[in-house]
Each structure stands twice: as structure tokens, then as C-alpha cells.
Amino acid sequence: MVTAKAWVLKKHFEGFPKTSDFDLKEIKLPNLKDGELLLESVFLSVDPYMRAYSRRDMKEGDIMIGTQVASLTAYFGLLEVCKMKPGETVLVNAAAGAVGSVVGQLAKIGGCKVVGCAGSDDKVAYLKKIGFDEAFNYKTVKSLDEALRKASPDGYDCFFDNVGGEFASIAINQMKKYGRIAVCGAISLYNDSVPQKGPYLQVPMIFKELQMEGFIVSRWKNRREEGVKALLKWVVEGKVKYHEQVTEGFENMPMAFIGMLKGENLGKAVVKV
């Protein structure tokens, strides 16, 4: 009999997650059956969706959900939902995160102008380093509307939205006619105890004839190998760069998860077990 450590959801999150919402337990693993393998985790992932899905998919006492791959999301969201074309202008928020940073680089490979925003000057510098045409710190600009307009006076053809909320409400007014919006996440809303209200999106959606589509990457699970091969090729060629924010120690996983939700990570947040 093999024992393992697991982080359990002790209490459903109310507002922002707290370390007291988790419980570290030892569990006994079932004996292996013929043909089965037991693998030891070396790195584990912490991602925004874990916050959003926890109440929907989990009950108190369950082992915390989690996966390890992020940039498949960028590949299919940008190519299949946004349907970017060469020469277009692409807007990405949370652009220094695991998904956003890859979205921007894929858009550059596709011949687009790319505008990204992030929550610190260091992250903005990173975006410029990996090839974003324009980048700004949304926490320090006087007006988000003005910052978006300055970055692309003609507006945006594609908007890859990881944030939702107020940012999306402002950005949608700067979309070009027939623009496309891929709704990947809504990290600005996940920790709200009371749902936000308006402003509402129907008027710009109608007059600019926009397309907005939410998506979950599992829609393309039968094409996973295609995405991995394409991304690996671009990484090897140096066209896609990545950064990992590594937290040491399985015991620090809740802290890494909470830090990621606060935007403390640059690139992909992972825990080295």
C-alpha cells in the first residue's frame, strides 16, 4: 500500500481563497492492477480555472482539481475562436500570464500587431521583450480607455479576454466592425461574493456586429497532438518564449495558488514537488 499527500478543499471559497480553506492529508492509494503504472508528480500546475470550477465541480472534502497544460488554450482560442488574420490588431489582457503571453507571440507569428496589458512594470517589460508591439500597466494608466486608444488608434480586430469585468466593458467599445472576441477567462470576477452589474455589452455588439464566443480548450481534445507539435516547433525555433514562476515544495501549493490569483506570477505558475 502506497501513501500520498493531497490538498483537500476543506471549505468552499468565500471571496478570495485563504490558506485555511485547504487541508493537507495523507491518503492511501489502491493497489495497482495488471497493466497500471504509478507515476510520481514532479511539477504541478496552479491556474485561474481552479477557482472558477471549484464550486461547480467539487464538494468540500474533495481533492483539489488541477492540470498541467496551458498554451493549448492559446493556440485554439486564437486560431479557432478569434480566427486572426495577417495584418490585424490583436488585444490580449493578463498578457504576462501563461496563456496571454503565448497568445501574443502566436499572433506575432501570424503577422498581427499585438497589444497587451499587465499589472506591473516588470511584466510590461517582459511583454516587450517577447515581441509585443505595445504594452502598458493597467494599474498605473490614468484611463484604460485612453491607454487602449493610444496603443491602437484604429481599434482592435481580435480581443483575447482573460479578465472580463470592467476591462472587457471598456475594451469592447474599441473593437473594429466585425471584430471577434474570444472569452477565455474572467479572473476579475472569480472572487466576487456579489456579482458585478453592467455596463452592458449589447449596444456595441449590435452596432459593430461583433462576434463573442466563450470556450474551453477541451473542445479540441481530439486535436491536442496538433497543438503540441505546432507549439513545440515554435519553441525550438525560438519563435515562442516562455517563463515559469516556480514555487518550491508541495506544502506551499495553496500559497502559490493564491499568489497566482493575485497576479504575482510572471508566465506559468508551477509548483515543484
Side-chain angles (χ1 to χ4, degrees):
M1 182 71 71
V2 177
T3 59
K5 292 181 179 180
W7 281 107
V8 168
L9 181 66
K10 182 178 180 181
K11 185 178 182 296
H12 274 299
F13 307 126
E14 296 293 339
F16 216 90
K18 306 178 291 296
T19 55
S20 59
D21 294 329
F22 302 92
D23 198 9
L24 183 59
K25 290 189 174 182
E26 280 197 353
I27 59 173
K28 293 182 179 180
L29 301 180
N31 292 324
L32 294 177
K33 300 176 183 177
D34 288 344
E36 291 184 336
L37 293 174
L38 178 63
L39 302 178
E40 182 179 6
S41 297
V42 179
F43 290 94
L44 297 172
S45 176
V46 287
D47 300 288
Y49 81 87
M50 296 163 67
R51 172 64 179 89
Y53 288 10
S54 60
R55 185 171 291 276
R56 189 194 74 171
D57 296 344
M58 299 179 64
K59 61 182 184 294
E60 292 178 351
D62 285 350
I63 294 174
M64 193 63 190
I65 55 176
T67 56
Q68 298 185 31
V69 179
S71 58
L72 291 168
T73 304
Y75 180 85
F76 290 111
L78 189 62
L79 300 182
E80 298 293 335
V81 181
C82 269
K83 294 182 171 64
M84 66 164 188
K85 303 179 186 70
E88 293 188 324
T89 301
V90 176
L91 172 63
V92 190
N93 53 19
V99 173
S101 59
V102 177
V103 168
Q105 293 180 84
L106 296 187
K108 288 302 297 180
I109 291 171
C112 296
K113 174 183 176 180
V114 183
V115 176
C117 75
S120 75
D121 292 341
D122 287 342
K123 290 182 178 181
V124 169
Y126 174 69
L127 296 180
K128 292 180 178 178
K129 180 180 178 182
I130 62 175
F132 279 64
D133 296 287
E134 301 285 344
F136 63 88
N137 183 344
Y138 72 90
K139 292 182 178 178
T140 58
V141 294
K142 293 181 179 179
S143 164
L144 178 58
D145 185 74
E146 290 180 7
L148 290 170
R149 200 174 303 280
K150 180 180 178 182
S152 181
D154 296 330
Y156 299 90
D157 301 283
C158 300
F159 173 26
F160 196 103
D161 186 17
N162 294 300
V163 175
E166 183 182 10
F167 189 105
S169 299
I170 293 172
I172 199 170
N173 288 289
Q174 297 199 30
M175 297 297 294
K176 295 181 183 180
K177 194 153 186 170
Y178 311 120
R180 289 91 65 205
I181 303 163
V183 184
C184 177
I187 196 170
S188 68
L189 309 176
Y190 293 157
N191 299 302
D192 289 350
S193 299
V194 179
Q196 296 182 21
K197 293 185 178 181
Y200 301 104
L201 309 178
Q202 286 83 354
V203 172
M205 289 285 295
I206 293 168
F207 287 115
K208 295 190 177 187
E209 299 184 62
L210 305 176
Q211 295 181 31
M212 177 184 282
E213 182 178 346
F215 74 97
I216 300 172
V217 70
S218 56
R219 185 195 309 181
W220 297 280
K221 61 183 178 181
N222 63 323
R223 294 173 58 191
R224 181 181 183 276
E225 188 174 350
E226 171 196 330
V228 171
K229 283 184 176 179
L231 290 164
L232 180 59
K233 178 177 181 290
W234 288 322
V235 169
V236 171
E237 293 173 349
K239 293 179 180 179
V240 170
K241 299 177 176 62
Y242 62 92
H243 186 276
E244 294 171 337
Q245 189 85 26
V246 181
T247 298
E248 296 276 348
F250 184 69
E251 68 279 4
N252 293 319
M253 197 156 186
M255 184 180 66
F257 173 64
I258 293 168
M260 176 273 305
L261 290 176
K262 290 180 178 178
E264 294 175 358
N265 60 297
L266 176 64
K268 184 74 190 76
V270 294
V271 177
K272 184 177 181 181
V273 177

